[in-house]
Amino acid sequence: MESLLLDHIDLQLLDALQTDATLSNQALAAAVRVSPPTCLRRVKRLRESGLIEREVALLQPDALARHLGHGITAIVEVTLDRQDTDRLAAFEQRMQPEDAVQQCYRVSPGPDFILIVHARDVPEYLALAQRLFSSDGNVRNVKAFFSLQRSKFSPRVPCIRADAAD
């Protein structure tokens, strides 16, 4: 992939889109003080470069709970027996199709992975843990922490640098 040079306008666009990706092109252009055609061209370039991975709706779990039940969120530490490149990659690949595994991070030091897992209830979490961890001969240790309350959640990546701000 070719290196993409970003200027302060690109960074402002990325920042604005993280706050509200539903902004019209006109509103986005006004927010960063460029013309609508320039804005459209730049956002297209940012998407095509892969900097904008995808756009999704963030749901409010407590509001949704009235319809689906609260469910449980677990922060799970996973330690593998063997950590060679192929086995680490194989574990990551096994997590990809699992809808319940919302996030998977390879970490160091400590456990090999931290997962954010959402399940309908404890029996569903236990079935998932059995399928993903207990049946994997390379998983040495699993430690789960169950969330009692979410006090902050933000998928935002800071992209306005001090030297690039107006």
Side-chain angles (χ1 to χ4, degrees), residues 93-106:
Q93 189 172 26
R94 284 188 51 230
M95 297 304 111
Q96 291 302 315
E98 292 293 335
D99 285 340
V101 178
Q102 295 179 328
Q103 299 171 55
C104 176
Y105 299 94
R106 191 184 300 189

Side-chain angles (χ1 to χ4, degrees), residues 75-112:
I75 296 91
V76 183
E77 295 181 355
V78 178
T79 303
L80 303 181
D81 242 355
R82 292 170 300 284
Q83 292 87 9
D84 59 83
T85 303
D86 290 341
R87 291 180 196 257
L88 291 167
F91 183 86
E92 288 172 327
Q93 189 172 26
R94 284 188 51 230
M95 297 304 111
Q96 291 302 315
E98 292 293 335
D99 285 340
V101 178
Q102 295 179 328
Q103 299 171 55
C104 176
Y105 299 94
R106 191 184 300 189
V107 298
S108 179
D112 297 307

